[in-house]
Amino acid sequence: MKNFQDEKQRDLSLNKSDGTNKFLTTDQGVKINDDNNSLKVGERGPSLLEDFILREKITHFDHERIPERIVHARGSGAHGFFEVTNPIPELTKAGFLQEMGQTTPVFVRFSTVAGSRGSTDLARDARGFAVKFYTQEGVYDLVGNNIPVFFIQDASKFPDLVHAVKPEPHNEMPQAASAHDTFWDFISLMPESMHMIMWVMSDRAIPRSYRMMEGFGVHTFRLINSNEESVFVKFHWKPKLGTHAVAWDEAQKISGKNPDFHREDLWEAIEMGNFPEWELGIQIIPSEDENKYNFDLLDPTKIVPEEIVPITIIGRMVLNKNPDNFFAETEQIAFHPGHIVPGIDFTNDPLLQGRLFSYTDTQLSRLGSPNFHEIPINRSIAPVHNNQRDGHMRQEINKGRVSYHPNSLGGGCPYQAKIAEGGFASFNERVDAHKVRERSESFNDHFGQARLFFNSQTAEEKSHIVKALRFELGKVETTAIRIRMIGLLSQVDRQLAEKVANGLGAIIPPILETPLNKGVSPENEGGNQESQTIESTVESSDALSMVNNPTNSPTIASRKVAIICSDGVSEAAVKNLKNALKKEDAKACIVAPRLGSIKTDSDGDLSANFSFLTASSVLFDAIYVPHGLDLTTLEKNDEVVEFLNDAYKHCKVIGADGKASKIISNSPFVSQMTDYDPGIVITDEIASATFAQDFITAMTMHRFWQREKNLYN
Ligand code: HDE
């Protein structure tokens, strides 16, 4: 079996330089003798124009920025590999999916959508999940999101959607937020967005980590086998660590405490050797079933429920190397849904069709040249031979006089590949219809799957959606927009609309006919009903809930625990939990009133990783207060109190042992507790193995959302 990982690394290394043990030179290779002083007439005199060293350095600096991505500007990436665990030659001839254990190098970029490059990671937003496979047959990009549907059905609405969600043009506010008038104005007039709105108002839009997100290809694609037979597929990435979120209040606080929270989390996990991993699955739909569902497979606002078409796992992806240089790799990587290889093909999804134009076009202004494929991170490991020539920053030096086809002077080279030789051929689909600017009636149901999503959530998750909508619409200043939104929500779920309306001091309006809402009412849901022959209505689906998500596994690997310490802390207690966490690959951090060495009760030293000034409970998954702390001082410390209050409010595990358990049991939140809370782990014992185990078991539950005031109880 060939492993292509090394080839790609070698390719990239062509352009690598770490600058160690090297003379400082100009871009022309001249050694520099003084990089600290510009050339002047006398020590205190004016600078000279002839100072080519100064001019070169400043000119380069002046041009160091390229336009950020119009959308998905804020992102983080990593290298890794994809491995086939279940070959599918009967479905596709794609070379990288043929053999068990076959590996293909990948680069993945995760991103938010709306914010600019320097914006916070924790904005409420969809996340991009873009994977570049460097296959032996060329580059294949699976450019997806962490949400399986999209706001709009037709590419022509994309500029409008993005204009509406971006900061408002007159005052460039707000940054990386959908909670403003123009976004909700657009959405309130765009009922097809209601399914996506359910997802972005849910906790999917505030993930705990990029490593804990599902990924989706969103559109329906085609696979083609060597007999030129095709099936439809939907792509799914399932995270090894489960699908998890933070709380909205927490997300906002993280944005202040550490706007690089997701970027740092991904970077650190890879540096620590906790390599993020996903399984790749496909839903397979036979070609002849294309019109048998009560939704249209070409409609990107619809999912195919897993209960109707289960997911077949075909491989796994591991991210095991951080980029060497953010700009060269993560910023310059150019994804494109149109980068496909033989054996994979598009469908006529009108959103996908528009994307197929957009991505190359955007690279031309972002990367500045049609030669962007020559940038090391974008290079194919399959050899590239064609008659494309010249252009800005051309790297390749094409030899000879022939740059056209057909030719005889070049011996006919490069020549076309027959299909049997791996030449790309589109699926031979027959298309025969009138040219129209219309949308199929089978795209008309805008509420059925929004309702399915809502019905699939736990009571706590529903409550989060209501609160998110109250927050977002509460920031909208135009009352009419709020009312229109409540009207649309009422077509998803009456109770949902009522609860949102209550929070906004509004009432549910009668169903409105908007220009784009013609004839859309619960009665004519299920656009494809006439031809439907496969039962495709499900009432609820666990796969849509994060709490009930079947991908969630009981692991705490790479989770972070804050151990609150001060002088006199029990060394035995700290070591007990630290060791237990280490066995689970979780990370313990000592947080103390000050940095430096903390004296333990047995005269040992613990080194504080953070002070209360530099850390906050929102940056951790769980909090432990060990025996032996200076309780009277700590209890009066506002920062400690805030630390614990936030951890409680954000439904995290809080543990304490020995005398420290007093801090927790006396705290207002625990003393007023009426029900047993398995997330509060307290014992009078010190350094007990049972305590450590209980603490870890509680952490596997991720969060105890039942603690919150739940609007659906
Ligand atoms: Fe994109 N999208 N998009 N998009 N998209 C871009 O390409 C666009 C859509 C997605 O990490 C841009 O290189 C149009 C859906 C990701 O570099 C741009 C339409 C999905 C990324 C663009 C869509 C995506 C992008 C901006 C509607 C989920 C980041 C810079 C027709 C399946 C890739 C760039 C990265 C980036 C256009 C809709 C995912 C402007 C016109 C649906 C993950 O070309």
Side-chain angles (χ1 to χ4, degrees):
M1 202 71 53
K2 217 168 167 199
N3 192 328
F4 298 108
Q5 178 85 3
D6 296 343
E7 280 184 34
K8 181 65 195 171
Q9 297 304 356
R10 203 164 47 242
D11 196 18
L12 280 174
S13 76
L14 291 176
N15 282 49
K16 277 187 189 169
S17 116
D18 64 7
T20 49
N21 296 326
K22 307 255 167 62
F23 285 117
L24 184 68
T25 74
T26 66
D27 282 343
Q28 305 304 321
V30 175
K31 288 179 194 159
I32 294 175
N33 163 258
D34 182 345
D35 185 47
N36 298 314
N37 297 293
S38 49
L39 190 66
K40 294 182 276 295
V41 184
E43 284 162 10
R44 301 180 57 251
S47 299
L48 288 170
L49 190 60
E50 72 168 70
D51 187 352
F52 65 94
I53 297 178
L54 173 74
R55 277 190 289 114
E56 180 193 85
K57 189 173 181 182
I58 289 188
T59 305
H60 195 279
F61 169 77
D62 289 344
H63 298 269
E64 273 171 9
R65 291 291 168 271
I66 59 171
E68 65 174 32
R69 289 167 174 80
I70 295 252
V71 282
H72 298 266
R74 169 79 187 171
S76 303
H79 293 272
F81 64 88
F82 172 76
E83 181 184 1
V84 176
T85 55
N86 176 21
I88 47 166
E90 70 288 2
L91 298 179
T92 177
K93 58 185 170 184
F96 74 108
L97 297 174
Q98 298 300 304
E99 289 175 47
M100 184 68 119
Q102 200 178 351
T103 60
T104 301
V106 297
F107 188 91
V108 179
R109 184 171 178 275
F110 302 108
S111 48
T112 54
V113 181
S116 52
R117 209 185 128 177
S119 60
T120 173
D121 282 340
L122 264 290
R124 173 176 295 283
D125 203 348
R127 298 297 184 283
F129 192 130
V131 184
K132 192 177 277 296
F133 296 80
Y134 302 91
T135 91
Q136 220 188 351
E137 294 171 309
V139 170
Y140 168 51
D141 289 347
L142 183 50
V143 197
N145 276 349
N146 75 330
I147 291 179
V149 288
F150 203 62
F151 292 99
I152 45 170
Q153 294 173 324
D154 190 294
S156 66
K157 298 319 297 165
F158 191 67
D160 301 292
L161 166 74
V162 175
H163 289 170
V165 71
K166 282 276 180 181
E168 298 194 7
H170 59 312
N171 58 14
E172 184 78 358
M173 290 193 280
Q175 180 53 245
S178 51
H180 58 111
D181 283 47
T182 55
F183 176 70
W184 289 103
D185 185 23
F186 177 79
I187 295 295
S188 66
L189 298 167
M190 192 59 58
E192 69 201 53
S193 66
M194 288 316 290
H195 188 193
M196 177 77 173
I197 285 297
M198 288 295 111
W199 285 80
V200 284
M201 291 300 113
S202 81
D203 295 346
R204 296 270 179 168
I206 37 172
R208 158 65 182 83
S209 157
Y210 286 139
R211 302 174 294 129
M212 298 169 203
M213 301 189 314
E214 290 183 283
F216 305 91
V218 176
H219 315 280
T220 302
F221 290 89
R222 279 183 184 278
L223 294 182
I224 309 169
N225 69 15
S226 48
N227 298 326
E228 301 305 305
E229 295 155 344
S230 166
V231 290
F232 293 108
V233 283
K234 290 270 190 190
F235 290 105
H236 296 252
W237 293 107
K238 298 280 183 187
K240 216 36 200 310
L241 296 175
T243 309
H244 300 290
V246 298
W248 176 230
D249 177 68
E250 186 184 7
Q252 293 173 82
K253 287 177 175 159
I254 294 173
S255 291
K257 298 281 180 185
N258 184 4
D260 301 312
F261 186 74
H262 284 154
R263 178 174 288 180
E264 188 178 280
D265 168 273
L266 179 66
W267 181 275
E268 278 186 356
I270 294 174
E271 290 300 297
M272 281 162 63
N274 280 318
F275 299 140
E277 189 172 332
W278 287 259
E279 285 184 319
L280 178 63
I282 48 173
Q283 286 175 295
I284 306 160
I285 299 136
S287 266
E288 56 275 19
D289 289 354
E290 178 172 2
N291 298 312
K292 293 188 181 164
Y293 298 93
N294 72 354
F295 50 84
D296 198 321
L297 287 176
L298 304 186
D299 175 356
T301 67
K302 302 296 181 299
I303 56 161
V304 180
E306 291 182 27
E307 288 70 19
I308 298 174
V309 181
I311 292 177
T312 307
I313 300 297
I314 59 170
R316 69 180 189 120
M317 176 172 75
V318 179
L319 299 183
N320 58 6
K321 188 178 168 298
N322 278 315
D324 288 309
N325 183 283
F326 183 91
F327 180 84
E329 300 176 272
T330 312
E331 190 60 14
Q332 293 201 112
I333 194 159
F335 290 98
H336 180 14
H339 293 160
I340 52 168
V341 289
I344 302 179
D345 206 351
F346 320 118
T347 58
N348 297 330
D349 170 345
L351 191 69
L352 174 60
Q353 292 285 320
R355 292 181 74 197
L356 296 178
F357 164 72
S358 176
Y359 288 67
T360 306
D361 189 45
T362 215
Q363 308 313 341
L364 294 179
S365 66
R366 201 170 69 80
L367 297 169
S369 151
N371 291 318
F372 64 85
H373 63 283
E374 294 190 323
I375 295 172
I377 194 67
N378 293 327
R379 272 189 217 159
S380 152
I381 60 168
V384 174
H385 305 292
N386 57 39
N387 295 312
Q388 269 91 272
R389 289 292 185 275
D390 308 345
H392 279 294
M393 299 294 168
R394 182 67 172 180
Q395 308 281 305
E396 183 159 359
I397 302 171
N398 297 103
K399 293 186 188 165
R401 62 204 284 213
V402 172
S403 54
Y404 51 89
H405 176 92
N407 69 69
S408 66
L409 294 178
C413 295
Y415 48 89
Q416 296 168 161
K418 297 193 179 91
I419 295 179
E421 292 169 324
F424 181 86
S426 301
F427 180 64
N428 191 7
E429 181 184 4
R430 188 191 161 104
V431 183
D432 181 4
H434 294 286
K435 264 193 215 171
V436 290
R437 286 190 185 272
E438 273 174 29
R439 219 170 280 188
S440 167
E441 277 192 15
S442 54
F443 280 39
N444 266 1
D445 169 15
H446 304 322
F447 301 103
Q449 288 205 351
R451 188 172 312 121
L452 164 64
F453 179 82
F454 189 68
N455 286 344
S456 304
Q457 308 302 305
T458 61
E460 289 82 13
E461 289 173 309
K462 284 184 178 169
S463 180
H464 290 180
I465 294 174
V466 172
K467 287 176 187 168
L469 282 161
R470 284 182 178 179
F471 176 93
E472 295 270 321
L473 297 174
K475 294 248 182 180
V476 167
E477 287 165 1
T478 312
T479 315
I481 296 175
R482 288 191 202 149
I483 303 295
R484 276 205 301 271
M485 270 318 299
I486 296 170
L488 284 180
L489 292 172
S490 72
Q491 294 178 73
V492 177
D493 184 280
R494 186 92 198 160
Q495 213 188 359
L496 161 70
E498 269 163 16
K499 289 186 189 285
V500 174
N502 282 347
L504 298 174
I507 50 159
I508 301 180
I511 292 179
L512 293 179
E513 263 209 7
T514 68
L516 290 164
N517 191 15
K518 281 192 228 112
V520 178
S521 67
E523 294 88 69
N524 63 11
E525 278 174 7
N528 255 3
Q529 257 160 11
E530 273 170 29
S531 54
Q532 177 197 351
T533 51
I534 294 180
E535 179 47 61
S536 26
T537 310
V538 282
E539 293 303 319
S540 102
S541 165
D542 275 352
L544 305 181
S545 152
M546 293 179 89
V547 171
N548 291 335
N549 201 288
T551 62
N552 292 347
S553 58
T555 173
I556 64 161
S558 78
R559 294 301 187 111
K560 278 188 181 170
V561 179
I563 303 187
I564 295 184
C565 287
S566 66
D567 289 332
V569 69
S570 160
E571 193 165 322
V574 172
K575 279 194 174 153
N576 176 48
L577 190 72
K578 249 185 137 177
N579 291 340
L581 290 172
K582 201 169 170 198
K583 279 194 200 129
E584 304 291 325
D585 277 335
K587 191 175 174 188
C589 300
I590 307 280
V591 184
R594 55 163 170 74
L595 291 178
S597 167
I598 306 294
K599 275 271 168 267
T600 67
D601 58 350
S602 43
D603 228 18
D605 285 312
L606 289 173
S607 171
N609 302 98
F610 299 99
S611 74
F612 287 116
L613 207 57
T614 58
S616 153
S617 101
V618 296
L619 306 177
F620 299 94
D621 292 289
I623 313 296
Y624 168 46
V625 194
H627 172 77
L629 294 175
D630 175 1
L631 290 186
T632 38
T633 318
L634 279 187
E635 271 170 330
K636 284 188 205 123
N637 184 327
D638 285 350
E639 279 144 348
V640 176
V641 174
E642 189 185 310
F643 219 89
L644 292 171
N645 279 345
D646 267 357
Y648 182 79
K649 185 172 175 192
H650 303 143
C651 304
K652 295 178 182 172
V653 177
I654 302 177
D657 56 3
K659 283 198 180 141
S661 56
K662 207 175 115 246
I663 290 198
I664 306 301
S665 43
N666 286 350
S667 65
F669 47 80
V670 171
S671 52
Q672 286 160 26
M673 229 161 66
T674 46
D675 296 327
Y676 166 67
D677 183 335
I680 306 289
V681 187
I682 323 181
T683 171
D684 291 336
E685 287 176 46
I686 299 161
S688 124
T690 324
F691 166 78
Q693 192 45 55
D694 290 350
F695 188 87
I696 286 166
T697 309
M699 275 187 74
T700 62
M701 308 290 293
H702 180 63
R703 295 294 166 94
F704 297 85
W705 301 121
Q706 61 270 32
R707 240 179 240 169
E708 291 171 330
K709 190 170 169 312
N710 182 348
L711 297 164
Y712 276 83
N713 280 338

